[in-house]
Amino acid sequence: MSMSSADLIKVSKSFGVFKALDEVSLHVPPGKVTCLIGPSGSGKSTLLRCINFLEQYDSGEVRIDGELIGYERPGGERMSAAKLRQMRKKIGMVFQHFNLWPHMTALENVAESLEQVRRLPRREAHERAREALAKVGLSDKIGNYPNRLSGGQQQRVAIARAVAMQPQLMLFDEPTSALDPELVGEVLQVMKTLASEGMTMVVVTHEMGFASHVADQVAFMVSGRMIASGSPGDIFRNPSDERLKQFLQSYHERNDIRHQAGPEECVARTEVPAI
């Protein structure tokens, strides 16, 4: 399956008087991993949600494979709900919180959208759901309900649910932020596997190790603006922007404090080079 690209061109979004995005531009190449980093409240999640038009941007353009999403033309009327649904079939999204149906097993949670959205027969949907759960290492949990799964396992079910739809672009909105530290690694490993298979991914993350070693490009945002973007080497080893330097320094200071707290409070992560 071919992978999708995405292009954001001078995208702006306001909530009342608060400007969440201020003319943000970014190219997401097909088959590559793009990580969005920056302090909380910098607009990363809003930008991510604009890519699949879960958030209606005010101006600018968001294009998937060159096709405008959300509007019939730049600055024009909204596209029809049917056309938007069709475009969204290319896109999978994984949220901070797992949003699983509590009354459904892991298998049923993954199969539900295949039956309801893709209109697959039940047997085919369940077979594809089993394959997706195997991909995230949960073949032995297909009959478990969410309350019988750890947070990491629930997030892996959520990833399987998205993967089963066979998207061409995957969006991850801080997928590890709701997890206990010891469960973060298992979710990041699944994401690394997807990246190694050539999935186009846009990841909002505070996991600098993941961004440093898995991303093909990293984009740094502050106060709704795109401040810097480039390869992990450019961003983490040769940061030219002072705000980026301060952000990375703050990350290292927090990381040092966590390690001083003792190994039981730490999680094994790939380290980010000190600046």
Side-chain angles (χ1 to χ4, degrees):
M1 180 185 292
S2 62
M3 292 295 113
S4 290
S5 64
D7 287 281
L8 298 98
I9 306 163
K10 294 187 175 180
V11 175
S12 293
K13 169 67 179 177
S14 294
F15 297 98
V17 297
F18 174 68
K19 195 149 196 175
L21 298 175
D22 188 1
E23 296 195 340
V24 175
S25 296
L26 179 69
H27 172 62
V28 177
K32 303 295 183 181
V33 179
T34 298
C35 282
L36 303 179
I37 65 171
S40 297
S42 58
K44 306 182 298 298
S45 293
T46 300
L47 185 66
L48 196 76
R49 291 171 65 86
C50 285
I51 293 176
N52 61 359
F53 210 64
L54 283 180
E55 204 66 73
Q56 181 177 338
Y57 53 96
D58 300 328
S59 62
E61 301 174 30
V62 179
R63 294 184 177 271
I64 308 297
D65 294 330
E67 185 177 0
L68 188 69
I69 188 170
Y71 299 98
E72 292 297 336
R73 62 182 185 277
E77 67 274 14
R78 286 187 58 158
M79 66 169 44
S80 68
K83 187 174 181 181
L84 183 58
R85 281 196 301 271
Q86 191 63 32
M87 289 196 71
R88 281 178 174 159
K89 287 182 178 181
K90 292 184 175 184
I91 306 170
M93 188 161 185
V94 177
F95 300 87
Q96 297 178 37
H97 300 287
F98 326 123
N99 298 328
L100 301 181
W101 295 106
H103 62 288
M104 292 183 179
T105 65
L107 182 69
E108 291 166 341
N109 264 284
V110 176
E112 177 73 3
S113 56
L114 293 170
E115 294 182 65
Q116 299 301 321
V117 179
R118 297 292 192 191
R119 301 297 182 186
L120 295 183
R122 187 173 187 274
R123 178 175 293 183
E124 185 179 347
H126 279 227
E127 181 57 35
R128 193 187 289 186
R130 286 189 184 92
E131 292 172 358
L133 286 165
K135 191 179 189 71
V136 300
L138 291 176
S139 292
D140 60 334
K141 303 293 185 183
I142 62 173
N144 287 42
Y145 290 91
N147 65 358
R148 302 298 296 173
L149 298 170
S150 70
Q153 290 168 340
Q154 290 184 61
Q155 189 63 293
R156 284 190 280 157
V157 171
I159 293 173
R161 179 177 56 191
V163 168
M165 298 290 283
Q166 298 180 340
Q168 298 175 34
L169 168 64
M170 282 282 286
L171 309 177
F172 294 85
D173 188 5
E174 298 191 39
T176 61
S177 65
L179 299 177
D180 292 332
E182 66 271 15
L183 302 176
V184 169
E186 65 187 68
V187 173
L188 293 181
Q189 187 56 54
V190 169
M191 294 170 63
K192 288 178 185 179
T193 299
L194 291 176
S196 70
E197 295 173 353
M199 173 66 73
T200 308
M201 297 165 56
V202 184
V203 184
V204 173
T205 185
H206 291 289
E207 300 293 338
M208 296 300 111
F210 178 87
S212 177
H213 290 83
V214 179
D216 296 286
Q217 72 169 345
V218 180
F220 173 66
M221 294 182 65
V222 174
S223 300
R225 298 188 66 87
M226 187 68 67
I227 302 301
S229 63
S231 70
D234 291 337
I235 296 297
F236 293 112
R237 295 171 181 82
N238 300 297
S240 56
D241 183 85
E242 190 59 36
R243 285 163 294 186
L244 175 56
K245 290 180 182 178
Q246 292 173 359
F247 174 78
L248 294 174
Q249 184 61 44
S250 175
Y251 167 81
H252 283 294
E253 289 172 355
R254 292 195 307 273
N255 206 42
D256 288 343
I257 291 171
R258 183 163 56 244
H259 280 280
Q260 290 170 13
E264 71 280 356
E265 297 183 27
C266 302
V267 59
R269 292 187 178 95
T270 311
E271 293 299 320
V272 181
I275 60 173

